[in-house]
Amino acid sequence: MNKTPDHLYGERLKRVEDAIRLKVPDRVPFFPHLGFFAARFGGLTSEEAFYHADKWLAANQKLIMALEPDMYSVAAFPGPVFEALDCKQIRWPGHGGPANSSYQYVEGVIGMEADEYDAFLADPSDFLIRTYLPRAFGTLEPLQKLPSLQALFIGGYKGATSSAVFAEPEIANALKSIYRAGIEARKSPAKMASFNKRMRKLGFPKIFAGPNMNVPFDIVADLLRGMRGAMLDMYRKPDKLLELMERIYPSYLSYALARVKKNDGISAIYIPLHFGADGFMSVKQFETFYWPGLKRLILDLIAEGLTPFPFLEGDFTSRLHYFTDLPKGKVVLSFDSTDLVKAKEIVGRTACIAGNMPLSLLQSGTPDQVKAYSKKLIDIVGKGGGFIMSPRVGMDDANPELVKVWADFTREYGIYR
């Protein structure tokens, strides 16, 4: 008997929800992080994925129909938006990167110097407009010539004539570039909404309900101080670093939550953890600078009825026990290189575990190797439920034939009997 898309949607949704809530589903859910793999599968370049949304979404639909995952996540790549603002913080396909590359964050583009903590803390909005934006976006460099916005309009209606500064050609062009970027940015939500509605009708649940979120330390390290700067500040300016993280968190959370649109059943929020792994900071530093912000974010999301979905990039083995302090059955922990057997042993009764099929196997392994690794994960980590089969990282360069072997084996062998 052929199942309808509605029936399949319900089955997949329940399967994923059961795994997240630490119940035993009918089988192990399958969730591939598609990344640029959809472009390769659909015959597109990564540059086309960044600049041609319709082609990109069509390629993703083709891939999802072929792999039949239990949930999916597809992001729109804003090439035209980045182009309009001349974004300096990343290189992307067709703009600083090869046509078939992924995008790459540019370490060293500093949004805030070491001696600028006080300036930021005194007036964050003014600092972001006149200092941060001109450094992060080429077309916004003229904004550094603006006078203090507080001083500009301190006279109320009497200061209205001060707005003449916005007629300066450089300033006007900077504001026009924001407008052009806004026009481009408005195109994406409608296309994504149509795509998600289409996938819903075809029987596939969407997993993530809003934008990626980051812990306060990663916001500082990614966007303000750079990795090196943030690491040095843990030693040289620990109090200022902590004060800054505390200052930015409430407005950041409020803005991110305003962009959340809950899904049917699953409303997860992806949280990539960039600098909390064993190799970046000591346990004491993790306890001081990283874990408090991460735990706060997770608990705040749970309070909003959302499912935090942190990606523990790198090796988090020495940090696993911290996660046992979280509410049970409310979080998915997606692992990169952490030993999943150890993770299952320590945190498996608290959180659903996802991961960690190596991309190397999906690139250049054999079908038997892919099956053997999958079997190990299902037998050990999947025992008793609470496990989602997924890769360590995005599958940009995976071999389509091996990915299909992986998907089929998970469906066939991953049944709970």
Side-chain angles (χ1 to χ4, degrees):
M1 173 181 174
N2 291 330
K3 298 177 180 179
T4 66
D6 276 347
H7 188 92
L8 289 170
Y9 183 91
E11 280 190 348
R12 290 170 177 142
L13 187 61
K14 185 178 187 305
R15 184 175 298 133
V16 175
E17 287 183 319
D18 284 349
I20 292 174
R21 307 310 169 206
L22 304 182
K23 299 177 182 178
V24 179
D26 60 339
R27 68 164 171 79
V28 171
F30 178 65
F31 175 44
H33 290 273
L34 301 178
F36 283 100
F37 179 66
R40 180 176 181 179
F41 187 87
L44 306 179
T45 65
S46 299
E47 183 176 357
E48 287 178 300
F50 247 88
Y51 285 91
H52 300 282
D54 292 332
K55 291 181 180 180
W56 167 242
L57 294 177
N60 275 277
Q61 179 173 335
K62 178 182 177 181
L63 178 57
I64 290 169
M65 296 297 292
L67 296 182
E68 299 182 272
D70 293 301
M71 51 185 165
Y72 75 89
S73 172
V74 173
F77 295 116
V81 178
F82 290 161
E83 196 86 46
L85 294 173
D86 187 21
C87 181
K88 301 293 187 182
Q89 292 178 321
I90 67 168
R91 297 188 181 98
W92 65 93
H95 191 105
N100 265 320
S101 68
S102 180
Y103 56 89
Q104 179 63 50
Y105 179 74
V106 180
E107 170 65 22
V109 176
I110 303 300
M112 185 180 80
E113 299 291 350
D115 60 355
E116 292 178 328
Y117 271 92
D118 287 338
F120 186 107
L121 291 167
D123 192 338
S125 295
D126 184 74
F127 183 90
L128 290 171
I129 291 172
R130 297 196 301 129
T131 303
Y132 173 75
L133 291 178
R135 292 172 179 171
F137 301 99
T139 65
L140 303 186
E141 287 182 9
L143 297 185
Q144 64 188 319
K145 298 180 179 180
L146 287 173
S148 164
L149 299 186
Q150 184 177 3
L152 191 62
F153 292 106
I154 197 67
Y157 74 90
K158 294 181 180 179
T161 55
S162 299
S163 61
V165 68
F166 293 104
E168 294 290 334
E170 284 185 301
I171 303 296
N173 287 333
L175 297 180
K176 287 177 183 177
S177 75
I178 297 176
Y179 175 76
R180 289 194 300 271
I183 293 296
E184 292 295 337
R186 291 184 67 176
K187 297 176 183 178
S188 179
K191 291 180 183 293
M192 287 303 307
S194 177
F195 173 80
N196 292 327
K197 185 177 181 180
R198 188 162 65 248
M199 299 315 299
R200 169 66 175 85
K201 289 182 177 180
L202 290 171
F204 297 98
K206 177 175 177 278
I207 176 67
F208 297 123
N212 294 352
M213 295 190 188
N214 298 97
V215 299
F217 185 90
D218 287 345
I219 296 173
V220 174
D222 284 342
L223 302 176
L224 293 174
R225 292 288 292 125
M227 180 184 71
R228 183 175 182 273
M231 296 298 173
L232 288 173
D233 291 347
M234 288 194 294
Y235 296 94
R236 297 177 179 177
K237 297 177 180 289
D239 293 337
K240 290 294 184 182
L241 176 57
L242 290 170
E243 185 180 356
L244 176 62
M245 292 191 293
E246 179 65 27
R247 183 70 176 271
I248 64 178
Y249 178 77
S251 57
Y252 170 76
L253 179 69
S254 177
Y255 171 75
L257 288 177
R259 299 172 65 196
V260 168
K261 296 180 180 180
K262 292 185 178 180
N263 307 322
D264 295 338
I266 313 168
S267 292
I269 300 295
Y270 190 66
I271 311 171
L273 307 185
H274 292 156
F275 299 111
D278 291 358
F280 283 107
M281 58 180 68
S282 69
V283 170
K284 183 177 180 180
Q285 289 168 334
F286 180 81
E287 291 176 342
T288 302
F289 298 100
Y290 207 89
W291 175 245
L294 173 55
K295 183 179 179 181
R296 181 181 182 184
L297 176 59
I298 288 174
L299 294 179
D300 283 345
L301 293 178
I302 291 174
E304 294 289 332
L306 301 166
T307 299
F309 200 115
F311 169 51
L312 285 70
E313 187 173 357
D315 187 355
F316 269 76
T317 301
S318 72
R319 283 100 161 100
L320 289 172
H321 64 280
Y322 293 94
F323 295 90
T324 62
D325 195 31
L326 300 175
K328 293 183 179 180
K330 299 290 186 180
V331 180
V332 180
L333 299 179
S334 180
F335 289 99
D336 174 17
S337 57
T338 301
D339 182 352
L340 283 204
V341 177
K342 179 69 70 173
K344 180 73 172 183
E345 175 187 333
I346 295 175
V347 77
R349 295 180 182 178
T350 301
C352 176
I353 293 173
N356 64 350
M357 172 60 69
L359 181 57
S360 58
L361 278 184
L362 297 176
Q363 286 176 321
S364 56
T366 66
D368 286 343
Q369 289 174 327
V370 171
K371 291 177 182 179
Y373 198 94
S374 301
K375 182 178 184 299
K376 175 185 176 182
L377 291 178
I378 292 170
D379 286 346
I380 301 175
V381 189
K383 186 176 181 180
F387 172 62
I388 295 172
M389 179 70 81
S390 65
R392 287 185 175 180
V393 292
M395 303 168 3
D396 295 357
D397 300 316
N399 180 331
E401 293 181 4
L402 293 175
V403 173
K404 189 66 166 63
V405 168
W406 179 41
D408 291 344
F409 182 83
T410 300
R411 275 191 296 270
E412 294 164 5
Y413 185 77
I415 297 172
Y416 288 96
R417 297 171 176 84

